[in-house]
Amino acid sequence: MEGGGGGKHFILVHGLAHGAWCWYKVVARLRAAGHRATALDMAASGVHPARLHEVPSFEEYSRPLLDAVAAAPGDERLVLVGHSLGGLNIALAMERFPSKVAAAVFLAASMPRAGSHMGITIEEFMRTVKPGFFMDSKTMVLNTEQGPRTAFLFGPNLLAAKLYDQSPAEDLELAKLLLRPGSQFMEDPMMKDETLLTDGNYGSVKRVFVIAKADSSSTEEMQRRIVDLSPGAEVEEIAGADHMAMLSKPTELCDVLVKIANKYEYN
């Protein structure tokens, strides 16, 4: 999903089990404001043709983003936006292509720290959740060529109570129709590699964490904990935004994204 126009170029990456479709309001608003917006499906997400058991690694899951950043013209500096799990996708792209990224925006997202393994924020989150948190969601084990892998499918009750609780009812129904099983790839060695993200590459890119203040799944306290675990990021806030801030507060999110892009255009 790509919006035309000049201005800044935003690349938008969805979270676990979602797809490019969840950015439809943001793409429309950014385009109307004269910017380019590219919303991507990671592998086996949205309308991407792969099945989850066919995706061998987090790197291949991230391939659509890595290819898009690699293909960007050398004189074009991008604003990468990662939501939730998508923060790890943009972190990998920042490490690989730091000179192409003007700023990276972590929207209620996993934001790793240079010198730590990428899975640390997921591990921290899992330590804080209480029994029964995932409600009617389902976990499954996929048989892959790399061995067993855990996959996850959001349940409709969890979606309504903790992810889309401030979003329009139509967007909740859209999610129920379009969600696919997802994986956090925690079994992937890449998630355990403490040398993957470096200060010279990942750490050199300007980072902004956007707190969704009404998020019922990753609470404001948890989001601030993620910021504390990865010092050096600036912080923006969106009042009234649930976990799906791009759907519950799309205009406010667009304003924040354009503000960030304007600030770091030439940095």
Side-chain angles (χ1 to χ4, degrees), residues 37-68:
T38 303
L40 298 172
D41 286 322
M42 297 299 98
S45 304
V47 298
H48 189 281
R51 303 287 294 275
L52 191 56
H53 70 273
E54 298 170 337
V55 182
S57 64
F58 185 75
E59 170 135 2
E60 288 308 308
Y61 171 71
S62 307
R63 181 61 53 196
L65 171 63
L66 298 176
D67 287 350

Side-chain angles (χ1 to χ4, degrees), residues 17-186:
H18 285 69
W21 56 267
C22 69
W23 295 103
Y24 76 99
K25 294 179 181 178
V26 173
V27 167
R29 284 164 171 77
L30 289 174
R31 183 193 300 182
H35 303 291
R36 293 183 63 199
T38 303
L40 298 172
D41 286 322
M42 297 299 98
S45 304
V47 298
H48 189 281
R51 303 287 294 275
L52 191 56
H53 70 273
E54 298 170 337
V55 182
S57 64
F58 185 75
E59 170 135 2
E60 288 308 308
Y61 171 71
S62 307
R63 181 61 53 196
L65 171 63
L66 298 176
D67 287 350
V69 176
D75 59 348
E76 180 179 66
R77 301 186 71 224
L78 308 167
V79 179
L80 303 184
V81 185
H83 174 245
S84 199
L85 180 67
L88 300 185
N89 301 111
I90 68 169
L92 184 58
M94 292 157 67
E95 177 64 30
R96 298 285 172 81
F97 307 102
S99 65
K100 290 193 169 189
V101 185
V105 181
F106 293 80
L107 174 60
S110 294
M111 183 174 67
R113 179 179 63 205
S116 294
H117 61 283
M118 288 229 293
I120 190 171
T121 54
I122 296 173
E123 294 171 356
E124 184 73 14
F125 174 77
M126 295 303 293
R127 279 195 291 268
T128 66
V129 298
K130 298 177 181 178
F133 174 88
F134 293 103
M135 301 174 69
D136 57 337
S137 302
K138 297 178 180 178
T139 57
M140 60 200 82
V141 177
L142 303 178
N143 293 318
T144 75
E145 293 183 359
Q146 294 73 36
R149 182 190 306 147
T150 303
F152 188 82
L153 184 62
F154 289 121
N157 293 338
L158 179 135
L159 292 173
K162 296 182 178 177
L163 271 68
Y164 287 76
D165 48 305
Q166 303 297 320
S167 296
E170 294 87 348
D171 291 323
L172 172 60
E173 295 305 319
L174 185 67
K176 292 177 184 178
L177 293 171
L178 296 179
L179 284 174
R180 295 174 65 176
S183 176
Q184 295 169 318
F185 291 87
M186 290 299 285

